[in-house]
Amino acid sequence: DFLAALDEVHPAFGVNDEELQQCVHNEIIKFSSNIERILSDGQLYIDQVRKSSRTPLVSVLLHGPPGCGKTALAATMAMSSEFPFIKLISPESMVGYSESAKMNAINKVFSDSYKSPLSVIVVDNLERLLDWVPIGPRFSNSVLQTLLVLLKKRPPKDRRLLIFATTNERSVLEQMNMSDCFNSEIYVPNIVELSCVDFVLKELTLFNDDERNRALSSLQQDGFNLNIGIKKLLMIIEMSRQDVDKVDKFVSTIMGL
Amino acid sequence: DFLAALDEVHPAFGVNDEELQQCVHNEIIKFSSNIERILSDGQLYIDQVRKSSRTPLVSVLLHGPPGCGKTALAATMAMSSEFPFIKLISPESMVGYSESAKMNAINKVFSDSYKSPLSVIVVDNLERLLDWVPIGPRFSNSVLQTLLVLLKKRPPKDRRLLIFATTNERSVLEQMNMSDCFNSEIYVPNIVELSCVDFVLKELTLFNDDERNRALSSLQQDGFNLNIGIKKLLMIIEMSRQDVDKVDKFVSTIMGL
Amino acid sequence: DFLAALDEVHPAFGVNDEELQQCVHNEIIKFSSNIERILSDGQLYIDQVRKSSRTPLVSVLLHGPPGCGKTALAATMAMSSEFPFIKLISPESMVGYSESAKMNAINKVFSDSYKSPLSVIVVDNLERLLDWVPIGPRFSNSVLQTLLVLLKKRPPKDRRLLIFATTNERSVLEQMNMSDCFNSEIYVPNIVELSCVDFVLKELTLFNDDERNRALSSLQQDGFNLNIGIKKLLMIIEMSRQDVDKVDKFVSTIMGL
Amino acid sequence: DFLAALDEVHPAFGVNDEELQQCVHNEIIKFSSNIERILSDGQLYIDQVRKSSRTPLVSVLLHGPPGCGKTALAATMAMSSEFPFIKLISPESMVGYSESAKMNAINKVFSDSYKSPLSVIVVDNLERLLDWVPIGPRFSNSVLQTLLVLLKKRPPKDRRLLIFATTNERSVLEQMNMSDCFNSEIYVPNIVELSCVDFVLKELTLFNDDERNRALSSLQQDGFNLNIGIKKLLMIIEMSRQDVDKVDKFVSTIMGL
Amino acid sequence: DFLAALDEVHPAFGVNDEELQQCVHNEIIKFSSNIERILSDGQLYIDQVRKSSRTPLVSVLLHGPPGCGKTALAATMAMSSEFPFIKLISPESMVGYSESAKMNAINKVFSDSYKSPLSVIVVDNLERLLDWVPIGPRFSNSVLQTLLVLLKKRPPKDRRLLIFATTNERSVLEQMNMSDCFNSEIYVPNIVELSCVDFVLKELTLFNDDERNRALSSLQQDGFNLNIGIKKLLMIIEMSRQDVDKVDKFVSTIMGL
Amino acid sequence: DFLAALDEVHPAFGVNDEELQQCVHNEIIKFSSNIERILSDGQLYIDQVRKSSRTPLVSVLLHGPPGCGKTALAATMAMSSEFPFIKLISPESMVGYSESAKMNAINKVFSDSYKSPLSVIVVDNLERLLDWVPIGPRFSNSVLQTLLVLLKKRPPKDRRLLIFATTNERSVLEQMNMSDCFNSEIYVPNIVELSCVDFVLKELTLFNDDERNRALSSLQQDGFNLNIGIKKLLMIIEMSRQDVDKVDKFVSTIMGL
Ligand SMILES: Nc1ncnc2c1ncn2[C@@H]1O[C@H](COP(=O)(O)OP(=O)(O)OP(=O)(O)O)[C@@H](O)[C@H]1O
Ligand SMILES: Nc1ncnc2c1ncn2[C@@H]1O[C@H](COP(=O)(O)OP(=O)(O)OP(=O)(O)O)[C@@H](O)[C@H]1O
Ligand SMILES: Nc1ncnc2c1ncn2[C@@H]1O[C@H](COP(=O)(O)OP(=O)(O)OP(=O)(O)O)[C@@H](O)[C@H]1O
Ligand SMILES: Nc1ncnc2c1ncn2[C@@H]1O[C@H](COP(=O)(O)OP(=O)(O)OP(=O)(O)O)[C@@H](O)[C@H]1O
Ligand SMILES: Nc1ncnc2c1ncn2[C@@H]1O[C@H](COP(=O)(O)OP(=O)(O)OP(=O)(O)O)[C@@H](O)[C@H]1O
Ligand SMILES: Nc1ncnc2c1ncn2[C@@H]1O[C@H](COP(=O)(O)OP(=O)(O)OP(=O)(O)O)[C@@H](O)[C@H]1O
Ligand SMILES: [Mg+2]
Ligand SMILES: [Mg+2]
Ligand SMILES: [Mg+2]
Ligand SMILES: [Mg+2]
Ligand SMILES: [Mg+2]
Ligand SMILES: [Mg+2]
């Protein structure tokens, strides 16, 4: 039965840790309660798959604006499951692939996962896997159809699978009937509060306290609406670090977005 | 003649029971009279094919919203026929196939069926077999044309065939002139009555009596219209099972749909 | 000359009788004067081809709603010619063919026909041969062009050819300039009079006299417009035969169309 | 020089007389002065190519409604030139060809013509060569581009070429910029006068004098506008010949168009 | 350096004189001052390429209505340069080529030109090279992209290239962003003045003086706007030469355009 | 670690200097303060990549009107980095490549760059790499998807990459979601002030002082808006150099744009 199968798992299944850790280049900074809630929701899905035999397949979609941190969060949750099979499906490993090579690569990860009693797959950047472009619009229908089937395909008897997928283009996926494929959705928001910026700035030690306060009060202007992804925020911090006047560069770049 | 032929049937025709049973993962729960009516209608078609020589081909379309139970019902009816040839045509077994490989696979199942005096074929998830996507819209015309012909092609002399097909996209099939191909249609509805939810909850023992009553009375609110497929209902029950406050999780998830 | 050539015809030309008889599965029931008129018109075209040397090619299009009996009638007329070459071109024998395989198969039948002094070809279900689907719309232009040429191509000296083609989609063929290719058209109507239903019911002995009268008077209701193809009528008769209450099943199904 | 080259012409160039005569199946009936004018215009172009060294390429488009006699007239004029090279390019000899096979076949006829000092090419049924269909619209752009170049390509030094092309779809060719490729156009009209019908009827001896007069006076009705191609007229005459009441069949068919 | 390289030029580069002279079949008649201005502008570009090392690539577009003389003028200017490398890229030499064969052929001419210190390339009839057709519209994007790059690609060190291209479809090229690729444009007009016709008539000796005067005064009518390309004018002159009444044929044809 | 890796860099990485210098054919003339600002901004990005380990990938888009100097500036900045790996991706080296050959070539440059601790890649003329044409519009989606991934793909551990890309079609890239891929943008303007023209004229010594003043005062007219790219300005200067009246040619050409 299931527990027996779990014991037999070969280490050969492999957990591609390096690839997944690469997704979280700069660690997860817990700059808001959102981040904690997302991580604990992830834990619930991990538990469900581990425990309930009636739902051997659970799939979750992380969506939000570009650079909000979807990939880093999905990879982090996947690694925290410590399931014997953890793999990443990502457009970056398929550059230059033909449509059918992509289909095969995707299909192979799913087929491999069926050999492990407990598996988690991160499907990163769905719109890029689909070769989506809004002009036309164009996309790879054969990759789409492959995903539409695999995201809903029940693993064989005594096998269980958890899927975390990410996208910037939730509404596009809805038009493609793909949002029906997910059992749950997690929204990852941009940073809209200065307290979060403050938290991140402290963490990255760009400024001394005085500089940080000057920067934050400059941003506390009427009519300015903060709305920035964690990824862009990190980039601006590093750019500002090169400048003679770090505070000015930081503030003006953020306000110029 | 026909009965003689029936006797000669080789077990080699094969009935792919495992594949079909996989479609009914969680058994059929008879939560409403609809379910019984559907199953008995299915029996009528089985009888017609078995008995009338003037209609050697009968095809039936099961349609309804996502997750309403179409596939499980079609597979259940097919297995209940106990015909010597019972096969499933399903997108899940054709992931990554080219259009022509799909056409060949579909054609082969039909050709094989013509060797048995009595056959039943389940064609699951037509819109997915057709690689349908509403953007464009796009679909595989060659698979469509194959189906348009095979669904109407009379089996050879002294052979009889029953077809159960399923779809979420009946109106799309109509635009493709495919609904003309079916002799009958069966509508599978979502669950819209609390008594059905009650029935399912009892069956799956998520709650004790008290909890169940609390949950149901919470759902009996003004302005809330219950409308949920059996598949999603089962998923929500299993998710709630992980939560500390099962009743709350169950009620809030259903109302949040 | 022509008559000499006719004498030399090899039986090898083959008349694929089985295939053609398969098209008339349930015989022709002469339920109305329309049917007799159509068959005698067919005879006139057969005579013209046999006798007039100035028109070595005559092509006739049978059109009408789905299931009105086009294929059965075309096959019946073709067989009645008793020409040495009689062949069927039908989508059912080309399932899974590529476009070019279809073109070749169609072309071969025509080329073969040119070897017989007198030939008749039934081209069944033009819209299906063309892979027509209204979404798009899409169709095989190469099969279309092949047919546009072959339907008008004069056979070589001392050879004569009669073509019966069928379609449900006459207006589509018109948009494709295909209706220009036919010298004549025959419209096959649905059944709209109860006397025809009466005739068919008698022929198939579903009911005793009393039942038949009850059924027909139920159908004689105000506001109900009978409009049904012979093919569907036969199917409903056989379905009703399985039911406990045959009259009720028959009447309610017809009125529910 | 030119005359010397003309002397050397090998009979091998071939004039495919049989193919061309097949185009004029029923001879040219001179039922109106239009026909004579068209034939004498054709003679002028033949003379120009034979005599003027400044215009080694002359191309003429015959256009008019379906069945008006374009192909028969073009073939007749081509044969009357008695040039050493006379060839027909026609869709009927290219059934089932791929686009590139068509391009090659067309190109070959032109290349071959360049070897003869004096050549005439009949390009029959341009819209069919182009795989034209108004739905879409679709057509073979590679065949189109091949023709756009070849119809304007000057033959090499001391070679001269006359081209007669035919089409039912002059306005389509105009949209494709193809009408710019022709130096002249000849319009072939339908028959619109009863005197022409009279002439043809006499020629084909369908009726005796009395019958013919009865037929013609029946057609001389108010509100009836005669408009028929010679090809269809010939077909109706032969159909009527089979009927018991030839006059009635003839008149009713023509008026029913 | 540059002059040294020029000395080493092999005659093998080849100047395809025959092909280019074929483009000027009937010589250049200097019927107006426009023609002289165009030829002297061409000389300026030739000088610039020969002398200025800062602009090793100069590209010029000749555009105007069909038959206005673009090809003849471009070929004439190219030959007058007497550069060691002079080549023609023309659709007529690429009939039946696939898109990639065309790309290769075009690319080869440019690559070859880079071996000569001084080169001139005539790119004739751009819209035909691009397989342009306004229905759709359709064209070969791969040939377009090849030209967009090659027309702007600087030749290697110490190599210089002059390009003359021609088109009837300047506005189409503009929509394709191709007009940005040219450093200069030359407009070649149709003939709109009777004095030009007079000049041409004299040159070709169609009429005696009296006939010519009669013809010209017939054309000098109110409400008639002369607008004709030199190519068509030459064709009409030769057609008229065959007629018994040359003056009438000439005048009526021109006025009937 | 990083510095160690930097030491080990093989000269084999190659810096394709010749190719890059070819992009700056006529040197950078510092005709305005814009040019200096652009070059110093470039220096900041070079420093960031060299120093910050948190942002191992920095990508910058240079955009502006045709001929404004984008390519020359990007190449100049890239060479000034003196990174061990400096490569150009340019449509000019991919003429005639198939889509997949292009994808491979692009992918190879990026893969190679990952072997060097510090790399800079110039991606020149994005719209041309994408085979963009506004009619349709059409473009190579597979090249686009390749770039969308590679422009955001983090180099492996201890490798850093700076990307300079150029385009005339920033708004097109925006529609393709490509502008999200860049961390920064640099706008390169056309020349709109006479002082810049003056600076360039002096540099290139087309005129003596008197001529230059005459030319400039002619351009200082009411209602004339100067707007010209440096590339076109250089071309006009060289054209004028051939003319007898250089001042007039220069002024009239600029005002005729
Ligand atoms: N709380 C956090 N959540 C997510 N990422 C964080 C957080 N704190 C720091 N990071 C860092 O921010 C970056 C987020 O980038 P990531 O690629 O995950 O964003 P994304 O939303 O997937 O972007 P894209 O839309 O480009 O795919 C990573 O480098 C990650 O290490
Ligand atoms: N009465 C019932 N009818 C159908 N399915 C039932 C019933 N009771 C329980 N089930 C279970 O509910 C699930 C129904 O899922 P099924 O895949 O058949 O739905 P579906 O309509 O085919 O979904 P989809 O639209 O995704 O194809 C199955 O696991 C089945 O075992
Ligand atoms: N008078 C009749 N005319 C035609 N068919 C008849 C007649 N009487 C009985 N039949 C039977 O009715 C059926 C008619 O079906 P048929 O396939 O010919 O219809 P169809 O119009 O070609 O249908 P479809 O539109 O599906 O191609 C056949 O089984 C035939 O034997
Ligand atoms: N005066 C005539 N002109 C042309 N054809 C004639 C004439 N008299 C008799 N015919 C006969 O009429 C028929 C004309 O048919 P033809 O194929 O040439 O017409 P078409 O316009 O080319 O038809 P389509 O539009 O189908 O190509 C031929 O059989 C020809 O022998
Ligand atoms: N002044 C002239 N300019 C150009 N062509 C002339 C002139 N005088 C005579 N000709 C002759 O006129 C003809 C012009 O035809 P040409 O093919 O060059 O025109 P075109 O504009 O290129 O036509 P198209 O639009 O069909 O490509 C040639 O035969 C040429 O010899
Ligand atoms: N300050 C400058 N900035 C850029 N280019 C300059 C400058 N001064 C002189 N140049 C010269 O001007 C030319 C600019 O051409 P370049 O190809 O870089 O323009 P571009 O904007 O890339 O053009 P395109 O839009 O055609 O790609 C080069 O020859 C360069 O040497
Ligand atoms: Mg991501
Ligand atoms: Mg299903
Ligand atoms: Mg039929
Ligand atoms: Mg014709
Ligand atoms: Mg030309
Ligand atoms: Mg550039």
Side-chain angles (χ1 to χ4, degrees), chain D residues 152 154, chain E residues 23-31 35 64-73 124-125 127 166 168 188 230-231 234:
Chain D
K152 289 181 76 173
R154 239 169 275 171
Chain E
C23 294
V24 205
H25 186 72
N26 291 308
E27 275 125 71
I28 299 292
I29 304 169
K30 298 195 176 159
F31 52 76
I35 304 300
C68 66
K70 300 169 296 294
T71 303
L73 289 168
D124 193 34
N125 214 336
E127 65 274 22
T166 78
N168 295 338
V188 183
I230 177 69
K231 201 166 159 185
L234 296 182

Side-chain angles (χ1 to χ4, degrees), chain D residues 44-60:
Chain D
L44 271 183
Y45 298 117
I46 294 169
D47 290 349
Q48 181 183 356
V49 170
R50 201 191 312 271
K51 293 183 203 152
S52 162
S53 69
R54 276 210 194 75
T55 51
L57 174 71
V58 173
S59 58
V60 182

Side-chain angles (χ1 to χ4, degrees), chain F residues 140-159:
Chain F
S140 162
N141 193 27
S142 55
V143 173
L144 172 62
Q145 299 295 335
T146 296
L147 286 168
L148 286 176
V149 173
L150 291 175
L151 288 172
K152 289 182 76 173
K153 180 172 177 171
R154 239 169 276 171
K157 212 160 162 302
D158 288 333
R159 300 288 180 261

Side-chain angles (χ1 to χ4, degrees), chain C residues 85 110 123 239:
Chain C
F85 182 98
F110 278 85
V123 187
M239 283 188 177

Side-chain angles (χ1 to χ4, degrees), chain A residues 77-142:
Chain A
M77 295 189 289
M79 288 186 293
S80 82
S81 75
E82 301 194 321
F83 284 3
F85 182 99
I86 310 178
K87 276 271 167 72
L88 175 68
I89 293 175
S90 134
E92 307 195 355
S93 60
M94 299 191 200
V95 172
Y97 278 35
S98 68
E99 281 191 279
S100 66
K102 259 189 198 178
M103 285 159 72
N104 288 341
I106 293 170
N107 200 14
K108 176 156 191 348
V109 174
F110 278 85
S111 299
D112 287 353
S113 80
Y114 301 148
K115 294 180 200 143
S116 161
L118 282 173
S119 302
V120 59
I121 296 177
V122 175
V123 187
D124 193 34
N125 214 337
L126 284 168
E127 66 274 22
R128 203 53 49 244
L129 282 173
L130 295 172
D131 289 341
W132 167 261
V133 59
I135 303 181
R138 302 194 206 166
F139 57 94
S140 162
N141 193 27
S142 55

Side-chain angles (χ1 to χ4, degrees), chain A residues 91-224:
Chain A
E92 307 195 355
S93 60
M94 299 191 200
V95 172
Y97 278 35
S98 68
E99 281 191 279
S100 66
K102 259 189 198 178
M103 285 159 72
N104 288 341
I106 293 170
N107 200 14
K108 176 156 191 348
V109 174
F110 278 85
S111 299
D112 287 353
S113 80
Y114 301 148
K115 294 180 200 143
S116 161
L118 282 173
S119 302
V120 59
I121 296 177
V122 175
V123 187
D124 193 34
N125 214 337
L126 284 168
E127 66 274 22
R128 203 53 49 244
L129 282 173
L130 295 172
D131 289 341
W132 167 261
V133 59
I135 303 181
R138 302 194 206 166
F139 57 94
S140 162
N141 193 27
S142 55
V143 173
L144 172 62
Q145 298 295 335
T146 296
L147 286 168
L148 286 176
V149 173
L150 291 175
L151 288 172
K152 290 182 75 173
K153 179 171 177 171
R154 239 169 276 172
K157 211 157 164 302
D158 288 332
R159 300 288 181 260
R160 299 180 193 165
L161 174 59
L162 174 61
I163 301 169
F164 290 114
T166 78
T167 187
N168 294 339
E169 301 277 3
R170 187 177 166 285
S171 70
V172 169
L173 300 192
E174 215 159 5
Q175 291 167 48
M176 290 171 168
N177 293 346
M178 198 189 252
S179 48
D180 277 356
C181 294
F182 292 100
N183 302 125
S184 284
E185 300 194 354
I186 294 177
Y187 175 62
V188 184
N190 262 350
I191 291 171
V192 296
E193 287 178 23
L194 281 178
S195 61
C196 301
V197 175
D198 190 29
F199 192 108
V200 175
L201 281 173
K202 277 190 202 135
E203 200 81 6
L204 295 185
T205 63
L206 172 64
F207 299 137
N208 59 32
D209 282 7
D210 177 54
E211 289 168 331
R212 213 180 60 244
N213 289 333
R214 246 194 310 133
L216 289 170
S217 66
S218 298
L219 292 174
Q220 218 155 4
Q221 275 194 338
D222 277 6
F224 171 66

